């Protein structure tokens, strides 16, 4: 635990006398050892609090990005109660951790759906909606704040600690989400020349942002339009920019974001990946909730599905899709070019489209497979492109971090089999989980990250994959399963060999 | 003109391109040459203002006591329009100057009665009123703000410059007035151990203080309970703490405040003086408005009164009192011990009390004279005491500044004659006028005064005259006209000699 964004200092002041009639505020500043400015409500509380507390008080100091300011004065020694909030502001989910700033321990973790979903599940729909006028932008802004207030209330209810006692907040989110959160139009994020309105954000008082907690709010900075504070938080969470080991950090959703590097260099890139991984384009795709097929196992050529909650399958979530494709590929029902073999057992053709019925009434179609393979090809190509640019072969990658909820539930083996992940020793493939939230927690607990974030941003080169000339032809090569160049996937080649008879 | 508390910078930004997609905020900060934080409303204005202005903008930077923050962004080059407000927050009058921060010129000066007068003309009445509860303190606080808003509206009406364009404000006032202005209880100012709640004030956003102008508000700091920001502003106005010349700065009202020193030392003191100089205790005393006798001239032994507006006398204002006493003394109607000579021409006795009818129906009584002499004795003793403490004879005083409206209208010769001012060469006696307002104007125009104010405060020793052991016996000696020790007043002695026959 480093120096958190806020701190509490207990002071035993000498009461004023005629021989020492220093002003209350100065008396406190002298005891602190530096002239911390006092917020107006702190100043106004002094006349009552100081004598009532018999001049023994606790001062809460909040870092505002430059210096510490007094944001609270309380009677007695209240240092034991000191809290902050880390936020992952996702386009789908707003997730918060209430952190004990004495120990760094997470007291409660709560989340809700982002209220902005009412204006479009897809982030682009929201951006176009907000473009329609100031009132619409304000509606999206309010929806973000409502989501915050809802989760803060959940934290309060779960922990029993009133929201007024939360003294610092760090928010990680992508560039668009942070724009909306601060009430900024986000159209510039998606339109040429792709210059956001802000990328490094100042600290703002919670009350200035209409939020109920105390102290300041810091938004994790963005590197570029498509490379937001969530990725920077991921850097903090993984420590990738600090070590000697070469790491790859991959966050794939509708957009794919990628960072490659170590303490000596950082190259980042982003590009469209398609919403396939989020279950959005697969016809029977669904969120990872009860009834979703989350895993598919093989017994010879027979497939068996496991659902969340153990009940009847209702559709496929992301991890289920990857497992299913791997199983269909290994059992020869899908060929290396990503096409269903219509002659293979269980593969049917309906209205001219091949598919596989993976559970009663549920079919995975060729078109589903095509969409998914475009996404996996995009991810694979981004990683390959950057490594090639810097001249680092895949086997020198010591850590391959996969961020996001998707990575959390995915079976590594299946992901390698279909070529979504590289064929690295499995222990090098690290599930980074919600690294956006984890990074926000780390920054909350150690303000020294703030200058380091500046350094990381300065060091980080940024590639917009949309502008890379041969990206499409590279992607085509990566559409194959696991890849056109099977030499890149030796363990998959071995598996195919072992199953030789089945695959043909 | 130094560096004002705010400044405007015109920027011609290079518009963003795909090759240079820096965020708007960073683009501005890069052009400024330093990362000035942007207030939230500035940030929110960027998406519209920048393209509309064709990327040619003017940024207003406000100093917040530590650094400059962006408080406005406007299209085009608006540097010519740059304004600030200096305030003298008096217990009776709130006076403001609207200053052109490009030239330092005062565009308009307006004032109103302090709305707090509704809670007591005397400052102590207000303090006791506020002591009665939070709602009462709030009422006094609101009254101060209402006074501010009224004068700001007058400035706006007179200048045609909207209040939103005023970018900085400096407020000078005594410790109590500043406490009420910020919403702080002021009882501590008057009660042992006399420790105010704050003496060095942080910068606060105008909107945080519920004021309509832009930017920050700086209150000139106080040295002690009875030595407020008005006196510190007086130091700035006169330059007394900067030069080699030994100066005396005297501000006498209900309270007397005094500073003696130069760039090498500063000794300040304060003590009760009584409200006599403000016309408060003289029975026919009145404010310096139409009908007030403001001057009394002598023709032999005959007195003639001049009134403000030239009409029928209605009473005496401060300068009239001093003139009248000097005339009555020089014509032998008052003796050196400050008693009416009942045998002198025009002196009458009514119900046992001597008096002089200075205009039809208007009498100046012995009790009026007694009250006035106590005040003048207090002022005289304070000056004498400090000079004696530092071992500086009066003749080494190069500048004797008299502050306040009182000093503005007073006849120097009369004030020396009655012993209110020391008997110095008259050109050394300087009428400092509203030095509180003048000092606030200087600070507004030059932020370098802020660290200098710290130095002045640190250097300034403070004596509370109430605690000086032999103060009362010294005062008694100073009750005589001009003083018990006539040797201190050689020019008065000469005048008496010249009029020998009349004085007897």
């Amino acid at each position: 635990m480093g120096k958190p964004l806020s701190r509490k200092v207990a002071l035993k002041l000498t009461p004023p006398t005629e021989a020492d009639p220093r002003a209350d505020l100065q008396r406190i500043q002298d005891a602190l050892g530096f002239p911390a400015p006092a917020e107006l409500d702190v100043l106004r509380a002094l006349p009552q609090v100081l004598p009532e507390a018999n001049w023994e008080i606790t001062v809460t100091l909040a870092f505002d990005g430059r210096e510490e300011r007094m944001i609270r004065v309380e009677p007695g020694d209240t240092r034991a109660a000191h809290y902050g909030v880390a936020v992952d502001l996702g386009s789908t989910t707003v997730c918060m951790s209430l952190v004990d700033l004495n120990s760094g321990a997470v007291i409660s973790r709560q989340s809700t759906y982002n209220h902005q979903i009412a204006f479009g599940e897809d982030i682009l729909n929201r951006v176009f909606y907000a473009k329609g006028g100031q009132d619409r932008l304000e509606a999206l802004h309010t929806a973000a704040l409502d989501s915050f207030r809802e989760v803060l209330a959940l934290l309060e209810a779960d922990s029993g600690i009133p929201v007024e006692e939360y003294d610092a907040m760090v928010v990680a989110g992508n560039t668009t989400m942070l724009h909306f959160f601060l009430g900024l139009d986000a159209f510039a994020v998606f339109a040429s020349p792709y210059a956001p309105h802000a990328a490094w954000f100042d600290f703002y008082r919670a009350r200035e942002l209409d939020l109920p907690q105390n102290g300041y709010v810091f938004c994790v900075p963005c590197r570029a339009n498509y490379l937001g504070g969530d990725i920077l938080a991921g850097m903090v969470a993984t420590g990738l920019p600090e070590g000697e080991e070469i790491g790859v950090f991959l966050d794939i959703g509708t957009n794919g974001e990628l960072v490659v590097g170590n303490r000596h260099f950082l190259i980042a890139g982003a590009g469209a990946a398609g919403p396939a991984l989020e279950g959005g384009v697969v016809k029977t795709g669904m969120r990872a909730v009860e009834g979703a097929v989350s895993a598919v196992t093989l017994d010879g050529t027979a497939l068996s599905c496991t659902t969340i909650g153990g009940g009847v399958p209702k559709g496929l979530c992301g991890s289920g899709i990857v497992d299913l494709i791997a199983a269909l590929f290994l059992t020869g029902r899908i060929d290396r070019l990503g096409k269903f073999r219509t002659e293979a057992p269980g593969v049917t053709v309906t209205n001219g489209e091949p598919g596989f019925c993976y559970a009663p009434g549920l079919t995975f179609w060729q078109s589903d497979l095509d969409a998914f393979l475009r996404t996996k090809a995009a991810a694979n190509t981004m990683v390959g492109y950057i490594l090639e640019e810097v001249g680092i072969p895949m086997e020198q990658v010591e850590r391959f971090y996969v961020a996001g909820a998707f990575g959390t539930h995915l079976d590594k083996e299946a992901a390698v089999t279909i070529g979504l992940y590289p064929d690295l020793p499995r222990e090098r493939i690290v599930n980074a989980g919600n690294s956006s939230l984890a990074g926000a927690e780390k920054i909350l607990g150690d303000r020294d990250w703030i200058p380091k974030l500046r350094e990381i941003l300065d060091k980080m080169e940024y590639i917009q994959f949309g502008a890379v000339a041969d990206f499409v032809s590279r992607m085509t090569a990566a559409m194959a399963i696991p890849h056109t160049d099977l030499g890149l996937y030796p363990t998959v080649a071995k598996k195919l060999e072992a199953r030789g008879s089945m695959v043909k």
Side-chain angles (χ1 to χ4, degrees), chain A:
Chain A
M1 186 78 180
K3 273 158 54 190
L5 285 185
S6 58
R7 67 181 169 120
K8 283 188 150 190
V9 182
L11 300 173
K12 294 192 180 189
L13 303 170
T14 53
T17 60
E18 290 199 13
D20 171 20
R22 275 172 303 154
D24 293 346
L25 181 59
Q26 199 196 327
R27 190 170 300 273
I28 293 171
Q29 292 170 334
D30 288 349
L32 285 172
F34 70 104
E39 301 279 337
L40 208 48
D41 51 352
V42 172
L43 191 61
R44 287 176 182 160
L46 297 184
Q48 203 149 22
V49 170
L50 291 177
E52 277 179 19
N54 204 21
W55 303 85
E56 300 192 6
I57 55 166
T58 301
V59 170
T60 308
L61 295 164
F63 185 62
D64 74 353
R66 284 158 170 84
E67 61 178 349
E68 290 181 315
R69 303 177 73 91
M70 280 186 238
I71 59 163
R72 190 194 291 112
V73 58
E74 292 169 295
D77 184 345
T78 68
R79 284 176 297 174
H82 185 208
Y83 312 100
V85 179
V87 184
D88 168 41
L89 169 52
S91 57
T92 306
T93 310
V94 178
C95 185
M96 297 192 186
S97 303
L98 177 61
V99 178
D100 181 331
L101 294 181
N102 287 308
S103 66
V106 174
I107 295 167
S108 177
R109 213 170 254 145
Q110 302 290 329
S111 66
T112 189
Y113 284 116
N114 190 327
H115 290 211
Q116 291 181 342
I117 290 174
F119 303 94
E121 286 230 8
D122 188 72
I123 204 167
L124 256 178
N125 289 339
R126 299 180 208 171
V127 170
F128 279 108
Y129 178 83
K131 190 75 191 150
Q134 192 58 38
D135 52 329
R136 289 177 161 211
L137 171 59
E138 198 43 46
L140 271 162
H141 177 213
T142 304
L145 294 179
D146 285 344
S147 314
F148 269 60
R149 289 186 279 250
E150 185 186 331
V151 188
L152 286 167
L154 292 173
L155 289 176
E156 189 175 53
D158 184 54
S159 67
I161 301 162
V163 68
E164 298 78 25
E165 296 197 15
Y166 310 166
D167 290 330
M169 179 182 268
V170 176
V171 182
N174 69 36
T175 310
T176 302
M177 286 296 110
L178 293 179
H179 272 56
F180 284 148
F181 170 60
L182 293 172
L184 293 170
D185 183 50
F187 190 75
V189 173
F190 292 90
S192 173
Y194 309 108
H197 298 301
W200 181 279
F201 305 97
D202 294 302
F203 281 65
Y204 294 105
R205 275 307 303 256
R207 84 164 65 100
E208 238 189 313
L209 295 170
D210 282 324
L211 289 173
Q213 79 276 12
N214 199 357
Y216 288 85
V217 176
F218 175 62
C219 294
V220 184
C222 305
R223 173 61 184 81
N225 63 329
Y226 293 144
L227 207 97
D230 49 347
I231 304 304
L232 265 286
M235 293 298 99
V236 174
T238 58
L240 185 150
E242 304 271 291
E244 289 289 342
E245 293 179 345
I246 288 171
V248 170
F249 177 91
L250 181 65
D251 188 348
I252 17 170
T254 306
N255 228 24
E257 291 113 17
L258 176 69
V259 186
V260 176
N262 61 8
R263 54 179 297 198
H264 302 295
F265 75 98
L266 286 172
I267 298 185
L277 294 195
E278 288 163 344
V281 297
V282 170
K283 280 174 209 72
T284 57
M286 62 184 288
R287 289 210 184 101
V289 293
E290 191 159 315
V293 172
S294 59
V296 178
T297 45
L298 271 182
D299 180 10
T301 60
L303 283 67
S304 76
C305 294
T306 306
T307 62
I308 296 173
V312 178
K314 295 178 185 165
L316 287 165
C317 68
S319 60
I321 296 172
V322 172
D323 267 17
L324 179 61
I325 297 174
L328 294 174
F329 173 61
L330 288 176
T331 57
R333 291 174 172 102
I334 295 175
D335 66 17
R336 284 202 55 225
L337 294 176
K339 297 296 163 198
F340 271 108
R341 285 200 174 100
T342 50
E343 73 278 14
V347 177
T348 57
V349 179
T350 311
N351 298 327
E353 184 175 5
F356 180 81
C357 177
Y358 61 91
L362 298 171
T363 299
F364 186 72
W365 300 99
Q366 180 66 53
S367 55
D368 294 337
L369 180 56
D370 293 345
F372 189 88
L373 290 180
R374 274 193 297 276
T375 297
K376 88 101 188 165
N380 185 295
T381 307
M382 289 177 194
V383 177
Y385 179 84
I386 291 188
L387 288 177
E388 204 179 301
E389 281 290 298
V390 293
I392 292 170
M394 182 61 81
E395 58 266 29
Q396 282 185 23
V397 172
E398 296 282 343
R399 285 285 176 278
F400 188 87
Y401 297 101
V402 186
F406 179 71
T408 309
H409 301 106
L410 213 57
D411 181 60
K412 280 181 202 176
E413 204 53 47
V416 174
T417 298
I418 67 166
L420 177 63
Y421 292 175
D423 194 352
L424 286 170
R426 302 303 181 260
E427 72 279 6
R428 295 195 194 170
I429 299 174
V430 180
N431 166 13
N434 189 343
S435 58
S436 173
L437 185 62
E441 288 171 9
K442 277 181 100 169
I443 297 166
L444 186 67
D446 188 0
R447 77 182 65 159
D448 286 347
W449 274 109
I450 291 170
K452 280 195 257 178
L453 284 169
R454 282 260 190 220
E455 287 167 28
I456 292 171
L457 285 176
D458 288 347
K459 192 190 291 177
M460 193 179 266
E461 282 181 65
Y462 175 66
I463 293 166
Q464 198 154 318
F465 289 117
V468 171
D470 59 346
F471 198 78
V472 174
S473 63
R474 284 167 176 267
M475 248 185 78
T476 307
M479 290 281 282
I481 307 177
H483 193 276
T484 307
D485 180 1
L486 197 58
L488 295 171
Y489 283 84
T491 71
V492 180
K494 266 191 200 144
K495 268 188 221 165
L496 290 175
E497 214 180 301
R499 287 188 171 258
S501 58
M502 283 177 268
V503 179
K504 270 172 271 166

